[in-house]
Amino acid sequence: MAFLYLAVRCLYTFLISTTFGYTSSSDTEIKVNPPQDFEIVDPGYLGYLYLQWQPPLSLDNFKECTVEYELKYRNIGSETWTTIITKNLHHKDGFDLNKGIEAKIHTLLPWQCTNGSEVQSSWAEATYWISPQGIPETKVQDMDCVYYNWQYLLCSWKPGIGVLLDTNYNLFYWYEGLDHALQCVDYIKVDGQNIGCRFPYLESSDYKDFYICVNGSSDTKPIRSSYFTFQLQNIVKPLPPVCLTCTQESLHEITLKWSIPLGPIPARCFVYEIEIREDDTTLVTTTVENETYTLKITNETRQLCFVVRSKVNIYCSDDGIWSEWSDKQCWEGMTKLIFFQCVFSFYIPEFFCDR
């Protein structure tokens, strides 16, 4: 009877191992194979890569439980890994192609399929890097991109160190929604060299990674490529506020007001910085979220001037660039004055100020 029980148990273990793709070296140890054909694929999107794999061996008919995979990846040299758990056979993400990429993945079998304990396979690993051409000094220097008024993107750069006049640079860009990477068609040139790019209207490009590659060519030496990634809403530089006014509400109180900058940015997305001078001796700088600010004055105040600049706030972006300062507006004090004087240094149609 004992012999029959042992034979049945061995047969059961063999059938489970064959069906579910793991092996048992003892009654308590269960092993599962790692995913097959793990690779990092570059589709030509300037840093947006595909990580893909195939199921482990012997799991083609694995129906009773859902296999999961733990995927880890990072740029080589980074201290932290990005980790995801997925049931899919692929994953997509952005990377810095100025550095190499490393990734690893293993199979996870849930406890329902393994007698109460989760089983992990060994790791399958993959790496990817673009073989660099030219020395680092030949790549573009001081790359700077600004999304003016949330409408027009402009990038500029300086030529690499020690490159000759026959060197020229080309810019390519991609973001999710484009079928393929596009080349700049409106270069900014100095002495025949490309030193910047004016971008066309970028449809549906906000709140997603924007990838840029600037490569180069020269008859005398190879040129190193550079890769950049950012999100457009984080590099917006608005126009300055308009229609500044200052009103003396009482003998000791003045209210400063202005209108939101012209353009497509909604009012809820602005934060403002005010610079106030009183009689050319006192300088006060403060930040406000609304288009108005009230301050106290004294009987001795003869003149009060202020300027305002704008920036996209933390509710609409992670970062931003301050606009230029508005033109200065001043209030001139008089004894017992209960009205105001504001002089506009440029003309803004009234319908703009009434928005």
Side-chain angles (χ1 to χ4, degrees):
M1 186 70 178
F3 176 78
L4 179 61
Y5 171 78
L6 178 62
V8 170
R9 182 173 181 179
C10 290
L11 178 61
Y12 172 78
T13 302
F14 172 77
L15 291 175
I16 292 295
S17 301
T18 303
T19 303
F20 293 153
Y22 55 74
T23 59
S24 176
S25 57
S26 68
D27 287 343
T28 59
E29 183 180 8
I30 298 174
K31 294 183 179 180
V32 63
N33 293 316
Q36 301 181 86
D37 303 327
F38 180 44
E39 60 180 344
I40 303 172
V41 178
D42 187 350
Y45 295 155
L46 313 180
Y48 189 70
L49 304 180
Y50 299 166
L51 296 86
Q52 57 192 39
W53 57 93
Q54 294 299 320
L57 290 171
S58 305
L59 289 182
D60 293 340
N61 298 319
F62 193 60
K63 303 295 185 182
E64 296 185 17
C65 296
T66 301
V67 177
E68 293 184 330
Y69 306 97
E70 182 179 17
L71 173 66
K72 293 178 175 286
Y73 56 88
R74 65 181 180 181
N75 272 112
I76 294 175
S78 174
E79 295 182 355
T80 59
W81 293 85
T82 298
T83 302
I84 66 164
I85 305 295
T86 180
K87 300 173 184 177
N88 298 322
L89 297 176
H90 60 83
H91 182 71
K92 304 175 183 179
D93 205 349
F95 296 87
D96 180 2
L97 291 188
N98 296 299
K99 306 173 184 178
I101 296 100
E102 57 183 345
K104 56 185 180 179
I105 189 171
H106 62 187
T107 309
L108 304 177
L109 285 183
W111 61 269
Q112 297 93 331
C113 305
T114 57
N115 298 328
S117 61
E118 182 182 74
V119 172
Q120 304 176 356
S121 75
S122 59
W123 291 101
E125 299 182 352
T127 58
Y128 178 79
W129 64 89
I130 294 179
S131 180
Q133 302 292 320
I135 60 175
E137 289 76 14
T138 61
K139 66 182 181 181
V140 294
Q141 307 291 311
D142 300 332
M143 182 72 165
D144 182 49
C145 294
V146 179
Y147 198 27
Y148 287 98
N149 212 34
W150 214 309
Q151 291 176 300
Y152 313 107
L153 177 63
L154 188 147
C155 291
S156 60
W157 59 82
K158 295 179 182 178
I161 300 172
V163 300
L164 300 181
L165 291 178
D166 73 332
T167 302
N168 216 347
Y169 295 95
N170 298 297
L171 181 146
F172 298 83
Y173 65 95
W174 181 86
Y175 59 90
E176 194 168 3
L178 296 180
D179 294 333
H180 57 274
L182 300 177
Q183 183 176 2
C184 176
V185 296
D186 187 9
Y187 284 107
I188 303 168
K189 297 177 179 287
V190 172
D191 298 327
Q193 279 190 323
N194 298 335
I195 56 96
C197 175
R198 301 180 191 90
F199 289 75
Y201 172 70
L202 301 168
E203 183 177 2
S204 302
S205 57
D206 305 335
Y207 300 101
K208 59 183 68 174
D209 287 340
F210 193 95
Y211 299 87
I212 286 179
C213 171
V214 181
N215 60 24
S217 60
S218 170
D219 294 334
T220 56
K221 63 173 70 175
I223 304 299
R224 178 72 63 94
S225 297
S226 295
Y227 296 89
F228 308 90
T229 306
F230 48 81
Q231 293 198 355
L232 294 184
Q233 77 278 357
N234 295 332
I235 57 170
V236 170
K237 182 177 182 178
L239 292 173
V242 295
C243 302
L244 277 66
T245 64
C246 42
T247 305
Q248 186 172 0
E249 303 290 352
S250 66
L251 190 61
H252 299 295
E253 193 173 77
I254 286 183
T255 298
L256 313 178
K257 294 183 179 181
W258 55 91
S259 294
I260 66 172
L262 306 179
I265 306 175
R268 60 181 174 80
C269 288
F270 282 112
V271 64
Y272 302 98
E273 189 174 60
I274 313 169
E275 187 177 275
I276 303 168
R277 285 187 179 272
E278 184 177 347
D279 297 332
D280 293 326
T281 58
T282 303
L283 176 62
V284 178
T285 302
T286 187
T287 302
V288 297
E289 295 185 354
N290 300 313
E291 293 79 39
T292 183
Y293 181 73
T294 300
L295 70 157
K296 301 293 185 179
I297 59 172
T298 66
N299 289 334
E300 289 75 27
T301 301
R302 300 185 307 275
Q303 185 187 65
L304 187 141
C305 296
F306 79 104
V307 291
V308 189
R309 62 180 180 175
S310 61
K311 181 181 177 181
V312 177
N313 61 31
I314 60 173
Y315 305 109
C316 297
S317 70
D318 295 328
D319 202 355
I321 303 170
W322 283 107
S323 74
E324 301 299 324
W325 289 103
S326 68
D327 287 345
K328 181 172 64 174
Q329 305 300 322
C330 294
W331 167 87
E332 301 290 343
M334 295 175 58
T335 304
K336 304 298 183 181
L337 182 65
I338 311 298
F339 59 90
F340 73 92
Q341 176 187 2
C342 276
V343 181
F344 288 90
S345 58
F346 63 95
Y347 173 71
I348 298 291
E350 290 187 2
F351 67 87
F352 283 133
C353 301
D354 294 336
R355 290 185 303 159

